[in-house]
């Protein structure tokens, strides 16, 4: 009645359609998530915790540079 090649082709097309639909739903969800993140970022003022963390990181980097300069000049700490 049906050729096995036709059955395989139809099954492949159905599988492709299901996969494409799932990817599209995931893509739309990811876009919605990013839109919410951008909306939250614009409505809130800059947070102090991120600024404080950046200052601590800069301070740590400066201390590392001082140590490396001391090692390079031959001074023990």
């Amino acid at each position: 009645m049906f050729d096995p090649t036709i059955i395989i082709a139809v099954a492949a097309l159905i599988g492709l359609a299901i996969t494409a639909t799932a990817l599209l739903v995931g893509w739309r969800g990811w876009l919605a998530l990013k839109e919410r993140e951008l909306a939250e970022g614009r409505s809130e003022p800059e947070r102090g915790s991120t600024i404080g963390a950046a200052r601590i990181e800069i301070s740590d980097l400066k201390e590392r540079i001082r140590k490396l300069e001391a090692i390079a000049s031959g001074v023990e700490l």
Side-chain angles (χ1 to χ4, degrees), residues 7-47:
I7 294 172
I8 292 172
V10 170
L13 283 175
I14 291 171
L16 182 63
I18 291 171
T19 303
T21 303
L23 288 172
L24 183 61
V25 169
W27 174 253
R28 287 181 179 165
W30 184 80
L31 285 177
L33 173 69
K34 291 300 173 183
E35 285 177 355
R36 277 183 270 152
E37 286 178 357
L38 287 173
E40 288 175 5
R42 283 193 209 130
S43 63
E44 295 179 11
E46 195 156 323
R47 298 177 186 147

Side-chain angles (χ1 to χ4, degrees), residues 2 4 8 12-13 15 19 28 32 39 44 48 51-55 57 61 66 68-69 71-73 77:
F2 288 109
I8 292 172
L13 283 175
T19 303
R28 287 181 179 165
E44 295 179 11
I51 293 172
R55 288 182 182 166
E57 186 175 345
L61 290 174
R66 283 190 213 110
L68 289 173
E69 288 173 344
I71 291 170
S73 65
L77 297 175

